[in-house]
Amino acid sequence: MTTNVGLNIAVVSDVSLGFGSPQVQSLARSLAEHYNAPVTIYEPDQTGRPPRPVVGESVRVRRIGTDVSPHSRPGRIEYVLNTAAELNRERPDIVLFCCTFTLPVLGKLAYRPSSVIYALIEMIAPYGRFDMAMNRAFAPRIDMLIVPEENRARLDMQRCGFAAKPLAVLYNVSDAPQVAPTPVATRLRRLYYGGAISTGLGLAEYLLHPDMQSVPLDLYGDVGGTDRAALLQRLHDTTCEPRYLGCCDAESLARLRRHYAYAIVMYRPTTDHTHYAAPNKFFEAIADGVPPIAAPHPQCQMIVERYECGILMRDWSFEAYRDAVHEALQIFGTRRYARMVKNCERAVRAELNWPAQFAKLERLLPAA
């Protein structure tokens, strides 16, 4: 197949690649393949997140520098202006914006792309009133939407005037090459947690609860929150479980995760964004054949119950977390555990794979 001469595609990311939001790269690669055309991903230059290679001959990455953190208010403005200047110079025909963080770039374009795709990787409301108003104002310029979860779609479409837009619900699955799950007999009898570590939203108070100090748990990720210093001190001072093993890039985490017995997935459901969570780490664990211990976020609950591929907490209380962990460790190595691992594989074959998810968007994409 010959290259689609003249067609140019841009993907504007809200994060540096390789440390989160893997769907940014997945979308870029699939768009390049679908249109047989080059794609450029524009990413912010985040401190502590060095450039990572992107697989795909037709995908290149432009790293946009800012004088201050791109996720500060002035840094976001600088990232928007610098990225818009690049797009105005290159004039891509199709532009995909990832998250409301990048959407102001659309308002700075000096031309009208033939197609504007908006991937609502994060919900809009947590960004505040400005972003809500901006999304309503820019709605007429957006041609189609991608969302990771049905309830999020419903709420954002109502709030921002997107109701008439073509919509594809793409689960946050990975398009990484499938690797056979680690044999049950050689797995660590340990739990894995990979992601932001914080009290409140991240429920670190559950992970580090005194009653859980005998639980074999390894923690990977950035430590954050208003009590970050105290939390770091607590993680480094402990001489028992759990173990804090630092922050790793996504590729390293994937190699580590598949050797664990279970992966923990939970957020405090105080907002729509966290109640209707669509966690990458939930789907990544299932893809690796590692059953999740998940809080009853609607999407997680639906998939765990549909495929019987994990342990579901009965609610968001500490007692529910404690009981789910104890149940999980009790059944490790049994036939029930082996079935859960097999059911993870079954779920991936059935629908939790990238080709099945991208097919939902492919039906909506305009012709070149």
Side-chain angles (χ1 to χ4, degrees):
M1 186 184 295
T2 58
T3 302
N4 200 329
V5 178
L7 186 67
N8 194 3
I9 303 169
V11 172
V12 185
S13 176
D14 62 317
V15 294
S16 297
L17 304 178
F19 292 86
S21 299
Q23 55 271 39
V24 175
Q25 296 182 56
S26 301
L27 286 164
R29 284 192 288 263
S30 291
L31 287 171
E33 182 178 343
H34 176 81
Y35 285 110
N36 196 33
V39 174
T40 301
I41 302 175
Y42 296 86
E43 64 168 357
D45 185 4
Q46 290 180 260
T47 302
R49 297 189 173 190
R52 286 288 186 269
V54 174
V55 177
E57 293 182 3
S58 298
V59 179
R60 65 171 184 163
V61 178
R62 292 292 301 275
R63 198 165 174 93
I64 305 297
T66 54
D67 290 334
V68 294
S69 167
H71 289 122
S72 66
R73 184 184 177 94
R76 181 186 184 186
I77 293 171
E78 190 178 5
Y79 178 64
V80 165
L81 293 175
N82 291 347
T83 304
E86 293 280 343
L87 265 61
N88 282 326
R89 182 162 47 249
E90 298 294 331
R91 300 178 73 87
D93 305 278
I94 298 170
V95 182
L96 187 150
F97 293 100
C98 299
C99 178
T100 185
F101 177 88
T102 72
L103 194 60
V105 174
L106 179 59
K108 295 297 180 181
L109 295 187
Y111 75 105
R112 175 68 165 92
S114 61
S115 185
V116 173
I117 306 170
Y118 187 18
L120 288 161
I121 293 172
E122 306 288 351
M123 288 192 76
I124 300 163
Y127 279 80
R129 287 182 295 177
F130 169 81
D131 275 78
M132 293 289 287
M134 176 188 65
N135 276 265
R136 286 192 290 269
F138 287 174
R141 306 191 203 181
I142 296 167
D143 297 302
M144 69 187 69
L145 302 169
I146 301 169
V147 294
E149 202 269 355
E150 291 85 348
N151 294 288
R152 289 186 175 194
R154 172 177 53 81
L155 291 169
D156 277 337
M157 292 179 81
Q158 289 172 353
R159 291 166 177 167
C160 296
F162 297 146
K165 303 293 181 186
L167 170 73
V169 179
L170 274 59
Y171 298 160
N172 281 335
V173 302
S174 171
D175 72 340
Q178 292 300 304
V179 178
T182 300
V184 171
T186 63
R187 292 192 185 202
L188 301 169
R189 187 183 177 273
R190 298 189 65 83
L191 311 183
Y192 160 94
Y193 176 89
I197 301 170
S198 64
T199 55
L201 172 62
L203 293 171
E205 59 270 35
Y206 289 10
L207 302 171
L208 303 176
H209 195 281
D211 290 353
M212 307 301 283
Q213 288 187 3
S214 63
V215 172
L217 168 63
D218 290 344
L219 304 168
Y220 300 86
D222 289 321
V223 180
T226 55
D227 58 348
R228 179 177 183 274
L231 196 53
L232 272 171
Q233 188 70 41
R234 186 175 174 186
L235 288 166
H236 288 306
D237 283 352
T238 184
T239 57
C240 56
E241 303 289 359
R243 305 185 306 193
Y244 176 56
L245 301 177
C247 188
C248 296
D249 61 73
E251 187 176 345
S252 299
L253 284 178
R255 288 195 299 269
L256 293 164
R257 181 176 51 241
R258 61 177 60 104
H259 298 290
Y260 284 86
Y262 299 94
I264 295 172
V265 180
M266 59 181 181
Y267 303 93
R268 189 178 296 281
T270 52
T271 65
D272 292 334
H273 183 71
T274 54
H275 179 73
Y276 298 121
N280 292 323
K281 57 188 174 184
F282 175 78
F283 295 102
E284 289 165 351
I286 293 174
D288 285 336
V290 178
I293 300 172
H297 304 284
Q299 189 177 76
C300 297
Q301 181 171 354
M302 174 189 69
I303 290 169
V304 168
E305 291 180 343
R306 178 181 295 170
Y307 293 104
E308 298 181 9
C309 60
I311 301 288
L312 195 67
M313 293 163 51
R314 63 179 178 273
D315 55 42
W316 278 272
S317 66
F318 167 72
E319 292 75 18
Y321 167 68
R322 178 198 62 202
D323 293 348
V325 166
H326 288 164
E327 177 187 358
L329 290 172
Q330 187 175 20
I331 68 169
F332 177 69
T334 66
R335 290 182 180 179
R336 181 183 168 194
Y337 178 78
R339 280 199 305 272
M340 283 197 297
V341 172
K342 288 292 184 184
N343 286 340
C344 287
E345 296 180 79
R346 181 167 65 91
V348 172
R349 287 195 304 270
E351 62 174 325
L352 304 187
N353 62 79
W354 182 251
Q357 295 304 312
F358 185 72
K360 303 175 188 177
L361 177 64
E362 204 164 21
R363 292 189 288 267
L364 302 179
L365 291 174

